[in-house]
Amino acid sequence: MEVGKPAEAQEVLERALNAKVRVLGTQAHPEAAAIARQLAAAAMATRRYAVAEPLCRQALDITQHGVGMETKEAAAAMSEYARCMVLQGRLPAAEPLLRQALELRVKSDGEAAVATAAARVALGDCLGAQQDAEGAEAHYRKAYEVLAAAGGTREGALAAAAAAHGLGLALLNQSKAAEAEGLLKEALEARRKHLGAEHKDTGATLSALAAALGDRGRYSEAEALFRADLEAAEKTLGPRHPNTATAMSALGGCLQAQGRLPEAEPLFMTSHNICTTQLGPDHPNTLTVTANLAACLAAQGRHAEAQPLYEAELEATKRVHGENHPDVATSLNHLATCLQALGQLDDAERAARQAVSLFKTALGDGHPNSTLAINTLGLVLLAQGKASEAVSLLEAAMTTCENRLGSKHAWTKTTTNNLQVAVTTYICSCNLF
């Protein structure tokens, strides 16, 4: 596992688990549970979630029968089971497990323990991914207080950086960019020091910091950060390295946010070519830069050029995550928007309905993430002259946004605006003026 060979590790760990059970004469032993967790981690590292999930359940069952459920071993097994669900996009199913794991950590290790703080960060990540920024903020803040005070080792510094990054994002999503900026700068410094400028986590914090600066109107500072990051990558790794491509795409995103699309496009194009060639079409980085390039082209009205990129992103996402992952719904939503712009309304409606259905299957009824696809479907129906159905969908989406996100959230405002357009169109179609 340490040298990046999880498939080979899985074979070794399977033999180790079988041997340990033979020696102990039972599965109900913490040593057997520990190997089962390692085996599950190896399966997850190769995205073999159908293999990993029963192993996670097995590790939890072994722990339950061996040392009981009120222990730190049980908390660790529960956290790993939840992580497997998160990686599959099953966030609502993971959340109660993460809450229970946190409760166990508080009981077994205490509120001020590093392990408890790590459990809070994991729960914060899950809540943040479900657009619950306030809930995420509370857990990140408590975790950050513990981890920042702990200090010491490299692992401790990185754990504190993860909490600072999460807290910064949660604040940013609540329009608290001024407070977020300092935390994200702290996280960026730690991640650059311990992970290097080219690491994906460093890049994620850099992007979040740039967003905070952008929210405060300081675009030139944000752009300078990305340019410095790209120059460092080109110097240390070379112009065709995948990490250089990631830095290139990040700079493109910063320029696009400023409306400088002609400058952003060649950066996205070069990044896409490098990632496709060197990492393959199914690598997560390639998926990201493909979507970025497609969005840049679409923003310039070049939807016919964007369409094959969105289609490629969709097919690759299915191969990587499986047919039922929420990321597939997101890709379908991108494609539906593009098809609508091209006037292919029947195809756009099919893609949008699939996205809504998939979000519902993966995340449950009334999940805020599904409102993205509902908005797209509502606009497609409106373009087809189905104003009444569009109004009904967008009313339900607005209720979800207001209840789950609040009236000031960007998604709530977008849905409200779309609903107003749909209502006006419906009134006009009924000749009520």
Side-chain angles (χ1 to χ4, degrees):
M1 289 293 286
E2 289 289 338
V3 297
K5 297 179 180 179
E8 188 174 346
Q10 192 172 332
E11 297 175 6
V12 176
L13 288 165
E14 284 173 352
R15 297 203 304 271
L17 180 59
N18 291 334
K20 179 64 71 174
V21 171
R22 284 198 304 272
V23 169
L24 296 172
T26 178
Q27 286 189 342
H29 192 283
E31 292 179 13
I35 297 174
R37 285 201 306 274
Q38 291 174 332
L39 181 53
M44 281 187 270
T46 57
R47 298 197 293 267
R48 299 174 66 187
Y49 302 120
V51 174
E53 187 166 340
L55 285 167
C56 289
R57 285 198 299 269
Q58 180 184 2
L60 186 57
D61 289 342
I62 293 172
T63 303
Q64 182 178 9
H65 290 100
V67 294
M69 287 301 294
E70 298 293 319
T71 61
K72 62 182 67 181
E73 290 84 3
M78 202 169 291
S79 294
E80 195 69 357
Y81 190 6
R83 186 169 79 90
C84 185
M85 290 184 175
V86 168
L87 289 171
Q88 296 176 77
R90 293 159 54 196
L91 301 172
E95 183 183 335
L97 284 172
L98 290 168
R99 290 188 183 279
Q100 191 173 352
L102 174 59
E103 290 176 6
L104 291 177
R105 282 295 183 188
V106 172
K107 290 178 181 178
S108 63
D109 296 356
E111 188 64 75
V114 170
T116 304
R120 286 199 180 279
V121 170
L123 178 55
D125 289 344
C126 185
L127 294 173
Q130 296 183 84
Q131 312 308 317
D132 183 1
E134 289 187 12
E137 179 191 347
H139 289 290
Y140 283 133
R141 197 176 290 281
K142 286 185 178 180
Y144 174 71
E145 291 169 358
V146 170
L147 294 168
T153 65
R154 173 182 180 273
E155 289 72 20
L158 287 173
H165 173 88
L167 178 55
L169 273 182
L171 292 167
L172 190 58
N173 288 332
Q174 297 175 78
S175 301
K176 301 175 182 177
E179 186 180 355
E181 182 183 337
L183 288 158
L184 292 168
K185 283 182 175 178
E186 180 184 326
L188 180 62
E189 181 181 354
R191 286 180 162 178
R192 275 179 168 166
K193 177 180 178 180
H194 296 291
L195 298 175
E198 69 279 1
H199 195 278
K200 64 179 180 64
D201 289 348
T202 308
T205 303
L206 179 65
S207 295
L209 175 58
L213 294 171
D215 278 6
R216 305 186 72 191
R218 290 154 57 189
Y219 294 108
S220 59
E221 291 180 54
E223 184 179 335
L225 284 171
F226 283 117
R227 290 196 182 279
D229 192 52
L230 175 57
E231 289 171 6
E234 289 176 332
K235 182 177 180 180
T236 58
L237 303 171
R240 301 290 298 176
H241 194 279
N243 290 343
T244 303
T246 300
M248 203 175 292
S249 182
L251 174 58
C254 181
L255 296 173
Q256 181 170 345
Q258 299 175 64
R260 294 157 63 183
L261 300 173
E263 294 176 67
E265 182 184 336
L267 291 166
F268 286 136
M269 188 71 74
T270 303
S271 176
H272 177 259
N273 291 338
I274 293 171
C275 288
T276 302
T277 301
Q278 300 204 25
L279 300 176
D282 294 349
H283 193 278
N285 289 16
T286 306
L287 293 178
T288 299
V289 299
T290 300
N292 288 346
L293 174 57
C296 183
L297 294 170
Q300 297 176 78
R302 292 155 61 186
H303 301 287
E305 295 175 64
Q307 180 182 350
L309 290 167
Y310 280 133
E311 290 172 341
E313 178 206 3
L314 172 60
E315 294 308 313
T317 303
K318 288 179 179 178
R319 289 194 298 270
V320 171
H321 295 299
E323 296 279 345
N324 298 319
H325 196 280
D327 285 358
V328 175
T330 301
S331 296
L332 279 165
N333 189 54
H334 292 162
L335 179 59
T337 302
C338 181
L339 292 169
Q340 180 192 355
L342 289 167
Q344 300 176 32
L345 298 181
D346 289 344
D347 290 339
E349 181 184 351
R350 275 192 293 273
R353 287 193 185 279
Q354 287 175 27
V356 172
S357 176
L358 207 161
F359 272 128
K360 182 177 179 180
T361 300
L363 302 176
D365 284 324
H367 198 280
N369 287 26
S370 65
T371 61
L372 295 172
I374 292 174
N375 268 275
T376 300
L377 178 57
L379 293 176
V380 171
L381 292 171
L382 204 59
Q384 292 175 308
K386 304 174 183 177
S388 176
E389 187 179 355
V391 168
S392 297
L393 282 169
L394 291 168
E395 281 179 338
M398 189 179 72
T399 300
T400 296
C401 287
E402 287 182 337
N403 291 341
R404 298 288 295 272
L405 305 175
S407 60
K408 296 181 180 180
H409 195 279
W411 292 5
T412 307
K413 293 177 181 178
T414 297
T415 306
T416 301
N417 291 337
N418 289 339
L419 177 58
Q420 290 172 348
V421 171
V423 169
T424 301
T425 303
Y426 176 67
I427 292 173
C428 291
S429 70
C430 296
N431 297 315
L432 296 179
F433 281 136

